[in-house]
């Protein structure tokens, strides 16, 4: 990607999208194009068509998505499949129609079967049943992968799908009803520390293993993939016998219990951690095989503890979060 190329980041206010914007600007790109939901509703076909017709971006990072944790995925599956299918379908088609040179579609490691062999290779896609709690979201993302593949096959586009592992970092969402595990636990631990609570309740048994990658590293990997030389990129997108998918992760995982203990230490919460086995665990293990990405020449640089410290620092520096925490605490009087 040339430094002056017009690059559209869809979903720039989200965890990955905001990290992508920072990464691109730090790399010297001077024409990064963004739109808020109020300015451009990606579920609206006519709005997306008009935007691409007028702006004509050369490269697109499709990071916009409706995302959430186990609770929200289980409670609102219709919204997850409907909104994600609309957004990605509109953007991918208009990228093709207006001649976008390269597109990177961001998915998730939840696309792989619930009991896939570990670590999960890209070729394990569609090899078994999905985790029921997030099946709607996963199927939407799988549809996006197939759409990229189909447009590559029929129209010769260069649309690549990147499947990040569980992400965290600055700019994450902190909502106990709708957050992923790291922001949810960090918020719980912080509230417990400030209020002087004796314990924190953690969903599930603590036994499932999860892999986590800092959003800054994920953004760096995405930009790396978009900058691959044509022969390397074509090797990924022009193989019509295999979906154009690349896993993005760190290649290491921890148990949810180990994660909770690490977050408690980072936050400074000294109380007890109680695991509620009546709540769902989700997939027993989700570890990505990142051999394809490392063979291309990229590997992450941020260790989990280092990333959590950076994330907690960002949390403390966000006034709205401080206000939210204070509002749920008992009156100090």
């Amino acid at each position: 990607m040339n430094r002056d190329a017009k690059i559209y980041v869809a979903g720039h206010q989200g965890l990955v999208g905001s990290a992508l914007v920072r990464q691109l600007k730090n790399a010297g790109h001077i024409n990064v194009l963004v739109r808020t939901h109020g300015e451009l509703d990606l579920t609206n076909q006519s709005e997306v068509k008009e935007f691409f017709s007028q702006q004509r971006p050369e490269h697109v990072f499709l990071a916009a998505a409706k995302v959430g944790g186990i609770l929200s995925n289980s409670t609102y599956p219709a919204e997850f499949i409907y909104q994600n299918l609309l957004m990605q379908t509109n953007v991918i088609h208009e990228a093709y129609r207006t001649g976008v040179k390269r597109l990177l579609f961001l998915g998730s490691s939840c696309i792989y079967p619930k009991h896939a062999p570990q670590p999960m290779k890209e070729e394990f896609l569609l090899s078994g049943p999905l985790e029921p709690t997030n099946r709607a979201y996963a199927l939407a993302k799988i549809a996006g992968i197939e759409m990229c593949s189909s447009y590559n096959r029929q129209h010769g586009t260069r649309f690549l799908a990147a499947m990040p592992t569980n992400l965290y970092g600055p700019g994450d969402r902190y909502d106990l009803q709708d957050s992923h595990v790291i922001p949810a636990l960090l918020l719980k631990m912080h509230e417990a520390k400030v209020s002087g609570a004796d314990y924190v309740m953690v969903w599930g048994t603590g036994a499932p293993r999860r892999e986590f990658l800092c959003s800054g590293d994920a953004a760096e990997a995405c930009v790396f993939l978009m900058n691959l030389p044509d022969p390397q990129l074509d090797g990924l997108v022009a193989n019509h016998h295999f979906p154009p998918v690349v896993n993005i992760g760190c290649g290491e995982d921890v148990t949810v219990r180990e994660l909770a203990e690490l977050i408690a230490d980072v936050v400074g919460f000294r109380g007890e951690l109680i695991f509620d086995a009546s709540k769902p665990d989700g997939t027993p293990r989700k570890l990505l095989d990142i051999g394809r990405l490392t063979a291309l020449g990229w590997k992450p640089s941020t260790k989990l503890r280092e990333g959590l410290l950076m994330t907690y620092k960002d949390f403390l520096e966000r006034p709205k979060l401080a206000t939210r925490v204070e509002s749920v605490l008992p009156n100090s009087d």
Side-chain angles (χ1 to χ4, degrees), residues 241-272:
H241 300 290
F242 185 78
V245 177
V246 177
N247 289 337
I248 297 178
C250 65
E252 300 176 356
D253 59 4
V254 295
T255 66
V256 172
R257 180 179 293 272
E258 290 169 336
L259 174 69
E261 292 170 348
L262 181 55
I263 292 176
D265 184 55
V266 165
V267 171
F269 172 67
R270 305 305 178 203
E272 182 182 3

Side-chain angles (χ1 to χ4, degrees), residues 30-156:
I30 59 174
N31 203 357
V32 179
L33 187 63
V34 297
R35 291 290 187 275
T36 65
H37 176 72
E39 295 169 329
L40 174 61
D41 179 1
L42 294 180
T43 67
N44 186 306
Q45 185 180 35
S46 61
E47 287 189 26
V48 177
K49 183 176 182 178
E50 182 180 6
F51 169 78
F52 272 84
S53 296
Q54 291 181 352
Q55 297 298 328
R56 299 277 171 172
E58 296 177 55
H59 307 285
V60 173
F61 290 91
L62 180 43
K66 178 173 177 58
V67 299
I70 289 178
L71 179 60
S72 57
N73 270 274
S74 300
T75 308
Y76 306 109
E79 282 89 338
F80 274 85
I81 194 165
Y82 175 73
Q83 292 184 29
N84 283 301
L85 283 174
L86 281 177
M87 285 188 282
Q88 65 201 35
T89 298
N90 290 337
V91 172
I92 292 170
H93 179 72
E94 291 307 318
Y96 149 69
R97 189 184 64 83
T98 56
V100 166
K101 294 178 180 178
R102 296 185 179 192
L103 176 143
L104 189 71
F105 170 64
L106 273 294
S108 165
S109 60
C110 73
I111 64 164
Y112 294 111
K114 178 174 182 176
H115 297 292
Q118 303 290 318
M120 297 182 291
K121 299 177 181 292
E122 289 89 348
E123 53 262 37
F124 294 165
L125 181 64
L126 297 176
S127 63
L130 298 166
E131 159 59 37
T133 57
N134 60 14
R135 186 172 59 217
Y137 175 77
L139 284 171
K141 291 299 180 179
I142 291 170
I145 295 170
E146 184 58 34
M147 191 170 181
C148 289
S149 179
S150 298
Y151 277 62
N152 292 342
R153 184 166 68 250
Q154 183 173 338
H155 300 300

Side-chain angles (χ1 to χ4, degrees), residues 155-298:
H155 300 300
T157 51
R158 286 184 168 126
F159 295 169
L160 183 64
M163 296 300 115
T165 189
N166 301 289
L167 301 178
Y168 70 96
D172 214 336
R173 293 188 306 164
Y174 296 88
D175 181 341
L176 295 182
Q177 300 300 313
D178 199 35
S179 291
H180 287 114
V181 60
I182 284 182
L185 286 176
L186 193 150
L187 179 58
K188 279 188 175 184
M189 303 287 185
H190 180 79
E191 289 181 351
K193 182 184 77 169
V194 175
S195 66
D198 295 328
Y199 68 91
V200 163
M201 188 72 70
V202 182
W203 270 39
T205 64
R209 302 189 67 87
R210 293 290 183 269
E211 176 186 18
F212 298 97
L213 184 70
C214 183
S215 59
D217 282 359
E220 182 183 298
C222 290
V223 173
F224 170 83
L225 288 171
M226 284 284 265
N227 276 318
L228 286 174
D230 287 345
Q232 281 186 300
L233 184 63
D234 288 343
L236 296 171
V237 303
N239 181 354
H240 302 322
H241 300 290
F242 185 78
V245 177
V246 177
N247 289 337
I248 297 178
C250 65
E252 300 176 356
D253 59 4
V254 295
T255 66
V256 172
R257 180 179 293 272
E258 290 169 336
L259 174 69
E261 292 170 348
L262 181 55
I263 292 176
D265 184 55
V266 165
V267 171
F269 172 67
R270 305 305 178 203
E272 182 182 3
L273 300 179
I274 299 177
F275 292 83
D276 183 358
S278 69
K279 296 296 191 293
D281 270 339
T283 304
R285 191 183 191 193
K286 287 202 302 181
L287 176 64
L288 292 179
D289 184 308
I290 56 171
R292 178 169 294 179
L293 182 59
T294 54
L296 291 169
W298 185 88

